[in-house]
Amino acid sequence: MSPTDIALPIIDLTGYLAPKSPEDREQVIAQVRDAARQYGFFQIRGHGVPLSLQQDLLRCIHNVFSLSNEEKLKMSFLENPCRRGYEASGMSHREGDALPDAKECFFVGREDPVVELSGVYGPNVWPNLPEEDFRGPVWRYYQETSELGKTLWSILLQGLGQSPALVDQFAKRPIVPMKMIRYPPHSQVREGQFGIGAHTDFGGITILLQQPGKDGLEVWHEGQEKWIEVPALEDLYVINCGDMVQRWSGGVYRSARHRVINKADGERMSCATFWHGDVHATNPMKPDDPNNETIGQLLAKRFGNQYSFTKEFLAEVEAR
């Protein structure tokens, strides 16, 4: 079924971040609530992340993926206890897809000095590139989008009638991985192969930067049973709710399937920051629910087969 011309809402966060009246904030909260309820996706402007930093990040993504295969594989996330570093094209194969994803990725996360919780926390892997060509801009961007993720969680909570301070109850040391992605040119992809196959995100909020002018993201609209194309526009972020948000909100907010088909002639870059919460945290809106699973348990349940978690990790998160 071909994509439809339905457009995801574009919400200006300026009214929330720099309100001129209380009504400004309430309007943004209502817009985010309605978009998350209807689509599970929305776009934002006025988010506070400098455009120059976004451009710097895309340059750095190009730099790391331009390294030789030998250099990239030395940083393989499969050899890293925290699953940080490089993932080659074809290494991610989703159940039900005929072919593996065409993308290649590079992962970073919170910078902690030692490995803890079997790799949930720990140090990052950094390529042998000048500071200004990768680590510096990437780390500044990570911190900016991490702060933005907390703000978006606060807005979503207020849309459910909760206090914005509730985020601090489940996110004292949140899991916030960031994935930099390169999609090969369309001409290099096999027939029937996606950049990323159709899926929902596992956890909290995803903050996606798309390389401007390089379209590819499509979102499934359940009501109309159609794919919505999401154009890659400058200084606009695409935000979506994961399965955990849908679960915690009692189904008020939607976690929607999405996929990527690189429609550009050349390569396509993007970056996703995933903002979940503490590994042992449960739904703060239902603290007495005996069936409340922790974020760590939900993570293990979703990715257990794909990530081959250690027995130590499963024991530490008390996976069911």
Side-chain angles (χ1 to χ4, degrees), residues 24-83:
D24 289 348
R25 277 198 157 201
E26 291 303 319
Q27 183 179 22
V28 172
I29 292 167
Q31 290 173 335
V32 168
R33 179 195 63 221
D34 293 346
R37 177 183 291 164
Q38 182 175 358
Y39 300 101
F41 271 80
F42 52 94
Q43 302 170 91
I44 59 170
R45 61 161 60 102
H47 40 70
V49 181
L51 176 59
S52 59
L53 183 56
Q54 299 171 46
Q55 294 167 337
D56 248 5
L57 178 82
L58 291 169
R59 177 180 61 84
C60 292
I61 294 174
H62 175 78
N63 290 341
V64 74
F65 290 126
S66 295
L67 294 172
S68 68
N69 286 333
E70 181 182 9
E71 285 297 312
K72 288 186 287 190
L73 288 173
K74 287 178 182 177
M75 301 180 288
S76 173
F77 77 128
L78 296 177
E79 304 298 325
N80 183 274
C82 303
R83 298 189 70 82

Side-chain angles (χ1 to χ4, degrees), residues 129-163:
L129 288 166
E131 177 82 8
E132 67 274 14
D133 288 337
F134 194 79
R135 182 170 183 167
V138 166
W139 187 244
R140 288 194 297 274
Y141 181 89
Y142 176 85
Q143 291 175 307
E144 288 274 357
T145 51
S146 183
E147 189 62 32
L148 177 59
K150 185 175 182 178
T151 298
L152 290 165
W153 258 113
S154 298
I155 294 172
L156 286 168
L157 287 167
Q158 289 173 87
L160 297 171
Q162 302 289 333
S163 166

